[in-house]
Amino acid sequence: VRGGAAAAPASAADGNTLTLSVALSDSDVKSVVIELKPEWAPIGVERFKSLVREGFYDDARFFRVVPGFICQFGLAGDPALNAKYRNARIADDPVKELNSRGTLVFATSGPNTRTSQMFINYKDNLFLDKQGFAPIGEVVQGFDVAQAVYSGYGEAPSQPRIQKEGNAYLKEAFPKLSYIKAASLS
């Protein structure tokens, strides 16, 4: 602290420790703890924290799970939230950290197209580094939980339908999907 001024205490919502309460099934809820790293990707971390504070990820399904590669989430259960962020793209952060096992990363459809979708790398996916995927944090507890999310549907859920219909579509067509009961920062 410079000049003798005391730093203002940070509120819990401003912290960089993310806890995902993950429902592997309706009766089996476990935690995944992720340490966000603003020094790796400041733009991405700020967007992600904003979405967490808004409740965007609460009740969101892991709609794309590819064993040995990634698990993906980040389309809200509420179609109105999906509409709000569908075209709210943010600029890319330069890739400063490797897409190694356990890193949290924004999904993209090309340069400067990050919105709300995230994935956790199940293994070292270093080929993603050259494609511009900048990790924003890493799992520090509960990686086994992330690996245990339901993978039986693979990539079958339709992202356009999730965006339009939200959890109504997913609960009917893909009832076994694991989901985030709540996401919180501390």
Side-chain angles (χ1 to χ4, degrees):
V1 179
R2 292 184 157 178
S11 72
D14 290 330
N16 288 319
T17 302
L18 169 74
T19 301
L20 299 176
S21 295
V22 176
L24 296 173
S25 67
D26 287 334
S27 60
D28 189 12
V29 179
K30 296 182 176 171
S31 293
V32 175
V33 180
I34 297 170
E35 195 62 36
L36 300 175
K37 304 285 190 176
E39 64 275 18
W40 292 358
I43 299 167
V45 168
E46 188 49 46
R47 165 57 70 87
F48 184 72
K49 288 171 68 171
S50 172
L51 290 165
V52 169
R53 287 191 291 264
E54 188 171 353
F56 186 91
Y57 298 109
D58 296 349
D59 213 27
R61 273 40 185 176
F62 288 91
F63 62 84
R64 180 177 178 234
V65 182
V66 183
F69 181 47
I70 56 106
C71 65
Q72 187 168 333
F73 64 96
L75 290 173
D78 177 356
L81 277 176
N82 289 324
K84 178 179 177 179
Y85 286 99
R86 180 171 171 76
N87 294 310
R89 297 174 173 178
I90 60 170
D92 290 337
D93 285 296
V95 178
K96 294 181 181 175
E97 189 60 36
L98 300 174
N99 275 270
S100 54
R101 181 180 187 267
T103 51
L104 176 69
V105 187
F106 270 93
T108 73
S109 58
N112 300 307
T113 60
R114 299 182 300 172
T115 56
S116 63
Q117 293 191 46
M118 309 299 300
F119 63 87
I120 296 171
N121 281 304
Y122 279 163
K123 66 176 181 112
D124 290 348
N125 290 315
L126 306 184
F127 69 95
L128 295 174
D129 301 339
K130 292 185 186 91
Q131 296 179 28
F133 290 91
I136 69 162
E138 63 185 333
V139 176
V140 294
Q141 182 182 326
F143 185 67
D144 58 322
V145 177
Q147 289 182 299
V149 299
Y150 187 78
S151 63
Y153 302 124
E155 300 184 66
S158 162
Q159 292 186 37
R161 285 196 66 187
I162 299 168
Q163 290 182 347
K164 288 181 190 163
E165 303 171 49
N167 283 344
Y169 159 64
L170 291 175
K171 287 177 181 178
E172 181 181 321
F174 304 98
K176 294 181 182 177
L177 287 177
S178 301
Y179 61 97
I180 299 166
K181 280 184 85 86
S184 60
L185 293 164
S186 60

